[in-house]
């Protein structure tokens, strides 16, 4: 009889612990994101050297959560996939600035690991964790710029950019 009561007591205590844990665990709202990509190809004529070509996929993603009816953007990433070919000069790429249309610039970036494969020759990913808050129906837009350059080409530098609205409603 004592063993049965002890087993029941242990089961009841375990159930109470599970119920308490469920009631006391805070609800976590998953972060959402907004992202946009653009892909461009460039051909660079190089005097006395033939030509070079490049293809770039530029991706810009903003991560946000909703707090007190507003959008809190707490993280953003900028990513490049890059393919290049050439005989004497190989094209390169570089990031420009990421800027919100209200004048907010993001300048501190941390390099992230990235995995890529064919047909791309190179890739990079960076993260910025500056926090900004906007109304959910904001008209603010974010724009990320990049350049593709080929030393010695007739027109050595080309620009590429991606823009997205930060409205979350």
């Amino acid at each position: 009889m004592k063993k049965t009561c002890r087993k029941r007591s242990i089961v009841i205590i375990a159930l109470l612990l599970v119920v308490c844990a469920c009631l006391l665990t805070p609800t976590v709202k998953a972060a959402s994101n907004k992202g946009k990509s653009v892909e461009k190809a460039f051909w660079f004529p190089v005097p006395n050297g033939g030509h070079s070509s490049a293809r770039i996929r530029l991706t810009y993603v903003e991560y946000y959560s909703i707090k007190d009816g507003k959008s809190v953007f707490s993280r953003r990433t900028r990513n490049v996939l890059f393919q290049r070919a050439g005989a004497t000069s190989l094209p390169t790429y570089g990031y420009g600035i990421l800027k919100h249309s209200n004048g907010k610039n993001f300048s501190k970036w941390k390099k992230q690991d990235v995995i890529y494969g064919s047909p791309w020759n190179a890739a990079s990913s960076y993260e910025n964790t500056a926090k900004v808050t906007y109304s959910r129906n904001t008209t603010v837009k974010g724009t990320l710029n990049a350049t593709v350059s080929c030393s010695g080409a007739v027109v050595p530098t080309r620009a590429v950019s991606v823009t997205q609205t930060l409205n979350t409603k």
Side-chain angles (χ1 to χ4, degrees):
M1 180 100 172
K2 284 185 179 182
K3 278 187 174 182
T4 307
C5 287
R6 189 177 295 175
K7 285 182 182 177
R8 284 185 188 156
S9 297
I10 291 172
V11 169
I12 290 171
I13 290 171
L15 285 173
L16 285 172
L17 288 173
V18 169
V19 169
C20 288
C22 290
L23 292 174
L24 297 176
T25 303
T27 16
V28 177
K29 292 184 180 177
S32 298
N33 67 65
K34 292 182 67 93
K36 200 163 183 187
S37 290
V38 65
E39 191 170 318
K40 299 255 180 168
F42 301 102
W43 181 69
F44 296 94
V46 180
N48 302 319
H51 65 274
S52 297
S53 64
R55 183 167 59 136
I56 186 171
R57 181 181 296 159
L58 181 65
T59 304
Y60 160 40
V61 181
E62 288 273 357
Y63 296 84
Y64 69 93
S65 58
I66 306 300
K67 184 175 180 183
D68 298 328
K70 296 190 176 205
S71 299
V72 179
F73 294 90
S74 56
R75 179 175 165 251
R76 62 214 37 84
T77 59
R78 62 184 191 183
N79 308 289
V80 162
L81 289 170
F82 194 67
Q83 180 185 38
R84 65 187 188 172
T88 58
S89 295
L90 286 175
T92 59
Y93 69 90
Y95 288 103
I97 60 169
L98 189 147
K99 184 176 184 177
H100 286 179
S101 59
N102 63 354
K104 176 70 177 165
N105 290 329
F106 299 92
S107 57
K108 293 184 180 181
W109 295 90
K110 182 179 176 187
K111 190 171 179 79
Q112 303 294 300
D113 291 333
V114 63
I115 297 173
Y116 63 94
S118 182
W120 307 104
N121 304 111
S124 66
S125 180
Y126 288 85
E127 172 187 58
N128 173 283
T129 56
K131 187 189 285 188
V132 293
T133 302
Y134 299 125
S135 69
R136 292 197 60 204
N137 60 355
T138 186
T139 58
V140 174
K141 294 179 181 179
T143 301
L144 173 63
N145 297 301
T147 58
V148 177
S149 302
C150 184
S151 178
V154 174
V155 178
T157 304
R158 310 285 175 84
V160 60
S161 68
V162 60
T163 298
Q164 68 176 326
T165 179
L166 300 180
N167 185 322
T168 61
K169 225 167 194 189

